[in-house]
Amino acid sequence: METITKINNNDEYFWAVGKVLYFSQCIEHDLKLTYSLLNPNINFDNIKKLTLGTTVKKLKEKDSSSKHPFLGTEDYDLLDQITKIRNRYAHECFIEWVYESKDRNKAFTKSANRLINDHNRLAKLYRVIEKVRIDLAKEQDVESIYLKS
């Protein structure tokens, strides 16, 4: 798993923000594919239109009614935060330090440390959810988009 321990400069920060957005998008799509696998009678085009929050809620309801849930409480806690995390990196994170005139280095370091934490948590969740999707697809002997990683 990709773990970041330090962000030293703007380029590393930009790269890490890109990875957080990548993980967020893939997690969202994998959740929709997983929900689709658990609900084969629902057209995937309809599932694709669901918001991330709605998808998480529906998947959590379905998963918690199972004898063997595939995601744990910690995973769902992070999923409940993922929209906020994604939006922060899409709309706010650079403003925290780019426009700081007093102590830009301190502001950058604070923002970078938060980015490191969010990156590492999402990287782990990404792998967990990807594995769930692939395992479900293999169990159901489904090919195509469900098995791509």
Side-chain angles (χ1 to χ4, degrees):
M1 177 179 11
E2 307 173 34
T3 300
I4 298 175
T5 56
K6 188 156 177 59
I7 294 175
N8 297 304
N9 56 51
N10 291 0
D11 288 341
E12 291 176 5
Y13 189 96
F14 298 155
W15 178 87
V17 168
K19 290 298 283 191
V20 164
L21 294 174
Y22 168 81
F23 292 140
S24 298
Q25 288 179 19
C26 290
I27 287 168
E28 180 174 7
H29 196 68
D30 280 354
L31 289 173
K32 290 176 181 182
L33 290 169
T34 299
Y35 187 70
S36 174
L37 286 164
L38 295 171
N39 297 279
N41 296 330
I42 300 175
N43 184 316
F44 184 66
D45 287 335
N46 293 330
I47 293 172
K48 284 193 310 190
K49 295 174 188 172
L50 297 175
T51 65
L52 177 56
T54 300
T55 305
V56 169
K57 182 180 175 186
K58 288 179 173 291
L59 186 62
K60 187 176 185 178
E61 288 170 2
K62 186 84 171 172
D63 193 21
S64 64
S65 68
S66 168
K67 286 184 181 181
H68 304 287
F70 41 79
L71 295 175
T73 304
E74 193 174 292
D75 298 322
Y76 281 111
D77 288 346
L78 183 52
L79 284 171
D80 287 339
Q81 300 170 41
I82 196 168
T83 301
K84 185 177 178 182
I85 292 169
R86 179 195 60 200
N87 288 347
R88 180 174 182 281
Y89 292 103
H91 304 289
E92 301 170 13
C93 68
F94 296 102
I95 295 167
E96 295 173 349
W97 57 273
V98 170
Y99 294 102
E100 180 61 48
S101 58
K102 275 182 158 179
D103 193 348
R104 188 173 183 190
N105 287 337
K106 183 177 179 182
F108 175 84
T109 300
K110 182 178 177 182
S111 184
N113 287 337
R114 185 171 182 177
L115 175 56
I116 290 166
N117 182 53
D118 288 338
H119 171 279
N120 293 341
R121 293 186 314 147
L122 289 180
K124 179 181 174 188
L125 183 63
Y126 165 74
R127 292 290 175 220
V128 167
I129 292 173
E130 179 185 50
K131 182 178 179 343
V132 167
R133 172 187 46 86
I134 291 170
D135 290 350
L136 277 172
K138 287 178 180 176
E139 280 177 23
Q140 296 181 20
D141 198 25
V142 177
E143 293 186 31
S144 74
I145 59 172
Y146 298 103
L147 292 173
K148 289 191 176 15
S149 60

